[in-house]
Amino acid sequence: KTIPHGLLDYLSQLKELDLSMNQIDIVFSHFFEGLTSLRTLLIHSNYILDIRGKSFLRLQHLRTLDLRNNSNKPKSSFQH
């Protein structure tokens, strides 16, 4: 899963964002562009294996970034 393009564009005053446990697997470079005041970003416990481009470059006020517990997607428990 990914975050839809433009979803966070108008949240420039947001200070903290928790996207933990949302099954995110790719962080595209444009995700956080509009979050210019963000200080805390929690995206732990997802399936993130790919962080593209300069995803966190514009987050000049960022003090806390939590990326722990990101790993492969769980294997299906479906059996034939």
Side-chain angles (χ1 to χ4, degrees):
K1 293 183 178 182
T2 62
I3 300 168
H5 183 67
L7 181 68
L8 306 173
D9 286 355
Y10 301 101
L11 300 174
S12 63
Q13 298 302 312
L14 191 69
K15 304 282 190 228
E16 183 173 324
L17 179 60
D18 187 348
L19 295 172
S20 303
M21 298 182 281
N22 278 290
Q23 300 179 353
I24 297 168
D25 54 5
I26 299 174
V27 175
F28 289 102
S29 59
H30 63 268
F31 278 172
F32 307 115
E33 283 182 355
L35 302 177
T36 54
S37 299
L38 197 68
R39 293 176 184 258
T40 302
L41 178 56
L42 309 174
I43 49 177
H44 65 81
S45 305
N46 283 290
Y47 304 123
I48 299 170
L49 293 173
D50 190 358
I51 298 175
R52 299 198 178 166
K54 299 176 181 177
S55 299
F56 308 113
L57 182 65
R58 295 188 185 200
L59 301 178
Q60 296 177 0
H61 299 284
L62 192 66
R63 299 294 176 255
T64 303
L65 174 60
D66 187 347
L67 286 165
R68 66 189 155 92
N69 296 326
N70 278 286
S71 60
N72 291 330
K73 291 182 181 181
K75 294 180 180 177
S76 174
S77 60
F78 178 77
Q79 296 180 348
H80 299 274

